[in-house]
Amino acid sequence: MVKCKMTYEGGLHTELVHEPSGARVCTDAPVDNHGKGESFSPTDLMCSAMAGCMATIMGIYAEEHRLNLQGLTIEVAKHMNASPRRIARIETVITVPLPPNTEHKAALEQCALGSPAMRSLHPDIEVPITWNWVG
């Protein structure tokens, strides 16, 4: 079990602390929801965490198969519903520094799609993925 602690700092700002490492992340409400947009919003972090989880699972596979994924990028674009306010869609672009004919293509794609964060998203959230193989 990993513990994290959130402290509300006022002004719609929070500070999140990962207790095992002491790493800190700050959030602010987005401009379209009473904030100043001075940092990640909580829903920005959720989408970014999904991307990080995908990359991590792909990285584990790559290390096991001696593949170099350095330079892999995942871009996410969050779209919100107004009522109820929630994430509706996370447009995702994954750029993989391997050729499109790599024998590992299907496995790497499955790693991303089967990552714990992807499996934890509500089924109503659309996650269209564009794959770019550029090696």
Side-chain angles (χ1 to χ4, degrees), residues 28-56:
D28 184 21
V31 175
D32 68 349
N33 198 29
H34 309 285
K36 296 179 183 175
E38 294 176 335
S39 188
F40 287 94
S41 74
T43 53
D44 293 341
L45 280 180
M46 187 174 150
C47 296
S48 298
M50 179 200 77
C53 188
M54 291 171 141
T56 299

Side-chain angles (χ1 to χ4, degrees), residues 79-135:
H79 299 269
M80 298 291 290
N81 264 4
S83 183
R85 188 157 175 86
R86 67 172 185 83
I87 298 169
R89 181 178 173 93
I90 307 168
E91 292 179 21
T92 305
V93 178
I94 302 175
T95 303
V96 184
L98 294 173
N101 62 348
T102 178
E103 64 182 274
H104 300 280
K105 182 178 180 179
L108 285 165
E109 289 179 354
Q110 197 53 44
C111 286
L113 296 173
S115 67
M118 278 290 288
R119 290 183 182 190
S120 299
L121 292 176
H122 192 281
D124 289 349
I125 299 175
E126 298 174 40
V127 186
I129 298 174
T130 301
W131 290 90
N132 296 317
W133 297 86
V134 296

